[in-house]
Amino acid sequence: MHISAPFIQRRIATSLLSIAVLLAGAVAFYFLPVAALPRVDFPTIFVRTSLPGASPETMASSVATPLERQFGRIAGVTQMTSTSQLGATGITLQFDLDRDINAASRDVQAAINAAAGQLPSGLPSLPTYRRVNPAETDILDLAVLSDTLPRGRLYDLCDSFLAQKIAQVDGVGLVRISGGAKPAVRVDLNPKH
């Protein structure tokens, strides 16, 4: 007796079973998630360093290069990109998919500590790092303008009030303020008086 014998003998039950499987497949087809870019969490860490007033060339040569040398020694790094701009450097490290992000974070912290002696003495603080997901890009850009407030005051309001409120919204990962003018105190001394 063949395995197909009961299906041949009960043709109506077999037809109904086939139709049920076909309908279940058609209904399930509409519930399948579809994404042009599938959600894959790459273990990625972003390292940021600032040196106020330094040119992009200085940031690249004296800050990014020593860090990149140390990060290059970390096991499992598949991609490293760095960007230097006026007063800041950002380095993105992407690891193997099977690499534990917590272990990678510890390795990055150890590399930052190892590079601390080679970094310029004027750094306000050691480089900071955070875990990022490259699939999550910026979703909102706001431009704030004022005809009555000076740029320094406007920047201060955005930094102290607006950014704090946006950061408290559920699901917000990072709020970044750029442009404008940071408030600063300038002192002119006259040594003759």
Side-chain angles (χ1 to χ4, degrees):
M1 182 165 184
H2 295 302
I3 193 168
S4 60
F7 295 103
I8 294 171
Q9 292 172 355
R10 295 178 178 84
R11 291 181 298 272
I12 295 175
T14 302
S15 299
L16 290 176
L17 181 64
S18 298
I19 292 171
V21 169
L22 181 69
L23 288 175
V27 170
F29 178 76
Y30 290 103
F31 291 102
L32 286 174
V34 177
L37 297 171
R39 183 158 180 89
V40 178
D41 291 332
F42 293 100
T44 306
I45 295 178
F46 179 73
V47 180
R48 180 165 175 79
T49 310
S50 63
L51 180 60
S55 68
E57 294 81 15
T58 303
M59 292 302 294
S61 63
S62 63
V63 177
T65 302
L67 288 170
E68 288 171 353
R69 274 193 219 113
Q70 293 297 325
F71 294 150
R73 297 177 182 164
I74 298 175
V77 174
T78 59
Q79 184 178 5
M80 181 180 354
T81 56
S82 66
T83 305
S84 295
Q85 56 190 1
L86 183 65
T89 291
I91 301 172
T92 304
L93 303 167
Q94 190 169 344
F95 295 89
D96 289 329
L97 287 176
D98 58 348
R99 179 74 196 265
D100 179 35
I101 191 68
N102 295 322
S105 298
R106 288 190 295 272
D107 290 344
V108 167
Q109 182 63 54
I112 290 172
N113 293 339
Q118 302 167 3
L119 296 174
S121 59
L123 282 179
S125 63
L126 281 177
T128 58
Y129 68 93
R130 62 183 170 85
R131 301 171 194 164
V132 295
N133 186 354
E136 296 173 354
T137 59
D138 297 343
I139 59 166
L140 179 65
D141 287 326
L142 293 176
V144 180
L145 303 170
S146 175
D147 292 332
T148 58
L149 292 175
R151 287 190 336 183
R153 178 73 178 131
L154 189 63
Y155 184 93
D156 188 40
L157 281 173
C158 290
D159 188 35
S160 61
F161 179 72
L162 186 62
Q164 304 301 322
K165 292 295 184 184
I166 293 173
Q168 293 173 358
V169 174
D170 233 9
V172 173
L174 175 67
V175 176
R176 187 173 43 221
I177 298 197
S178 60
K182 290 185 180 181
V185 176
R186 292 189 179 159
V187 178
D188 289 330
L189 295 177
N190 187 349
K192 295 181 182 178
H193 290 106

